[in-house]
């Protein structure tokens, strides 16, 4: 009875995490899409937000929905093809989330780096125009990489006599031995690892630039003016918060996933924890962006006020 209650609580937690996270990311997607369709001037960073929110939605749906169904009592409901599709979608979206967050860090460095006016202007213009092609390239690259990985693993699995069946809750996955799979994981995790390293280095550099900028302006402005953050400073702080959240969850989840895969007897107990960590950044990141971006926050507040006014009007009308 206690185990049933625990799985019920986990199912509710995953349902809330997935639902709230998807709603937050859909709000970002709708904001970017409406800005584009109405002909309003889109900021270059809006394109990054769009692709990040889209990747986050796929991560949450491919990871949170199956785990919610498993915790609510529905076990092994996908065949081998369905399992491969879910794992493929999650891997592509996860890799994209890493790459686009890395791209966001690099773009912010270009925005606030102290360069000569001509170089800064040319580099900023080039970066603004290249965001969409780079994001599109990331989609194509990760789709091809994961297709290549799945095909290779399937070929090795069919040729190998040392295979294992992994119960991942919603399906059974046929994989190679621990050593052989570890080689695949290490090789295909190199891009993610490099992106995380770049984000850490970029964050340290951004903190250095912020401190240097603060020291320069404190001699030129009064203390009341210092308390007002420029848009660039706010955006940089947002990027630092996002990178910190991602690196923290990525590190903890990597340790859990390695332990999860290496020790069979703890496998089932650690699946919900690993899934919760894996889906935490996609669920939290849209609300960090919404709360720190004045344009998105104003749109969110206006929609919320309209909804409240409509509800109050309907309440008076029915009364």
């Amino acid at each position: 009875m206690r185990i049933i209650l625990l799985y019920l609580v986990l199912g509710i937690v995953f349902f809330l995490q997935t639902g709230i996270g998807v709603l937050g990311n859909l709000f970002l997607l709708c904001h970017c899409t409406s800005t584009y369709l109405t002909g309003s001037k889109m900021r270059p960073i809006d394109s990054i937000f769009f692709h990040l929110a889209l990747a986050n939605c796929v991560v949450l749906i491919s990871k949170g929905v199956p785990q919610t169904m498993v915790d609510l009592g529905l076990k092994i409901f996908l065949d081998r093809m369905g399992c491969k599709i879910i794992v493929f979608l999650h891997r592509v979206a996860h890799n994209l989330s890493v790459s686009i967050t890395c791209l966001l860090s690099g773009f912010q460095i270009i925005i606030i780096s102290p360069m000569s006016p001509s170089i800064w202007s040319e580099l900023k213009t080039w970066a603004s125009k290249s965001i969409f092609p780079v994001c599109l390239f990331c989609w194509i690259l990760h789709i091809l990489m994961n297709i290549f990985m799945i095909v290779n693993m399937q070929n090795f699995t069919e040729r190998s006599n040392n295979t294992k069946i992994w119960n991942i809750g919603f399906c059974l996955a046929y994989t190679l031995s621990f050593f052989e799979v570890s080689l695949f994981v290490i090789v295909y995790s190199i891009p993610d690892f490099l992106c995380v390293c770049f984000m850490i280095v970029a964050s340290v550099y951004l903190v250095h630039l912020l401190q240097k900028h603060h020291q320069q302006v404190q001699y030129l402005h009064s203390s009341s003016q210092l308390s007002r953050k420029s848009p660039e400073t706010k955006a940089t702080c947002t990027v630092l918060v996002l990178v910190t959240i991602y690196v923290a969850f990525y590190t903890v989840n990597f340790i859990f996933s390695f332990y999860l895969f290496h020790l069979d007897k703890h496998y089932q107990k650690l699946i919900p924890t690993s899934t919760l960590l894996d889906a935490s950044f996609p669920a939290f990141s849209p609300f960090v962006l919404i709360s720190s971006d004045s344009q998105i926050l104003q749109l969110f507040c206006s929609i919320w006020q309209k909804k409240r006014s409509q509800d109050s009007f309907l309440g008076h009308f029915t009364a």
Side-chain angles (χ1 to χ4, degrees):
M1 182 65 184
R2 186 177 298 177
I3 296 177
I4 296 176
L5 182 61
L6 175 62
Y7 277 108
L8 178 61
V9 172
L10 287 173
I12 295 173
V13 169
F14 284 118
F15 175 78
L16 292 175
Q17 183 193 49
T18 304
I20 295 173
V22 169
L23 286 176
N25 285 289
L26 285 178
F27 180 83
L28 279 179
L29 287 173
C30 292
H31 165 71
C32 297
T33 304
S34 62
T35 303
Y36 176 77
L37 293 178
T38 55
S40 303
K41 183 179 179 181
M42 283 190 67
R43 300 168 301 171
I45 204 170
D46 287 335
S47 182
I48 299 179
F49 290 168
F50 176 86
H51 289 278
L52 180 61
L54 183 58
N56 287 341
C57 281
V58 178
V59 171
L60 288 169
I61 293 172
S62 62
K63 197 73 172 180
V65 173
Q67 188 62 45
T68 301
M69 297 172 69
V70 169
D71 290 330
L72 294 180
L74 189 59
K75 310 286 186 181
I76 317 297
F77 55 88
L78 290 177
D79 57 8
R80 293 185 66 177
M81 181 57 66
C83 187
K84 289 179 182 179
I85 292 174
I86 292 296
V87 172
F88 170 76
L89 290 175
H90 174 259
R91 286 299 307 167
V92 170
H94 172 78
N95 293 340
L96 274 165
S97 182
V98 183
S99 300
I100 294 174
T101 306
C102 180
L103 176 64
L104 182 62
S105 301
F107 180 75
Q108 198 59 36
I109 287 178
I110 295 175
I111 293 298
I112 70 169
S113 291
M115 303 178 187
S116 62
S118 59
I119 297 177
W120 182 83
S121 178
E122 292 178 3
L123 188 59
K124 183 179 178 181
T125 302
W126 176 84
S128 301
K129 293 180 179 179
S130 302
I131 286 177
F132 182 79
V134 170
C135 290
L136 185 61
F137 172 77
C138 289
W139 279 95
I140 297 173
L141 175 65
H142 290 304
I143 288 174
L144 294 178
M145 282 181 58
N146 282 278
I147 289 176
F148 187 72
M149 183 185 73
I150 290 176
V151 171
N152 278 338
M153 285 194 68
Q154 183 176 357
N155 291 336
F156 274 99
T157 303
E158 292 174 352
R159 296 172 188 171
S160 176
N161 295 323
N162 187 16
T163 59
K164 302 178 82 172
I165 299 177
W166 295 98
N167 181 3
I168 55 180
F170 54 89
C171 67
L172 298 176
Y174 296 83
T175 62
L176 300 169
S177 64
F178 174 75
F179 176 75
E180 293 170 318
V181 172
S182 298
L183 293 179
F184 272 96
V185 171
I186 290 172
V187 171
Y188 285 97
S189 296
I190 290 175
D192 289 357
F193 178 75
L194 293 177
C195 285
V196 171
C197 291
F198 175 81
M199 285 189 281
I200 295 174
V201 174
S203 298
V204 173
Y205 181 66
L206 288 172
V207 170
H208 170 71
L209 288 179
L210 287 178
Q211 291 179 344
K212 187 176 180 180
H213 175 71
H214 180 76
Q215 292 173 356
Q216 290 175 348
V217 300
Q218 68 180 354
Y219 298 103
L220 304 175
H221 301 284
S222 62
S223 59
S224 61
Q225 290 174 316
L226 281 174
S227 60
R228 303 174 185 174
K229 292 183 178 180
S230 65
E232 291 80 8
T233 302
K234 290 181 180 179
T236 303
C237 292
T238 302
V239 173
L240 290 174
V241 171
L242 281 178
V243 170
T244 302
I245 293 174
Y246 184 85
V247 171
F249 282 124
Y250 177 88
T251 304
V252 177
N253 188 44
F254 178 81
I255 297 172
F256 261 95
S257 298
F258 183 83
Y259 187 69
L260 178 82
F261 189 77
H262 187 54
L263 299 177
D264 289 343
K265 60 183 179 180
H266 298 293
Y267 187 71
Q268 290 296 324
K269 295 181 181 179
L270 289 180
I271 283 181
T273 304
S274 178
T275 304
L276 188 69
L277 291 170
D278 194 29
S280 293
F281 175 77
F284 290 151
S285 60
F287 299 101
V288 174
L289 297 174
I290 291 171
S291 62
S292 59
D293 193 299
S294 59
Q295 291 187 14
I296 302 177
L297 190 60
Q298 287 174 3
L299 177 63
F300 182 82
C301 292
S302 64
I303 293 175
W304 179 256
Q305 290 175 357
K306 287 180 181 179
K307 183 180 182 304
R308 290 190 61 183
S309 62
Q310 289 176 357
D311 291 343
S312 61
F313 175 76
L314 291 175
H316 288 301
F317 182 76
T318 55

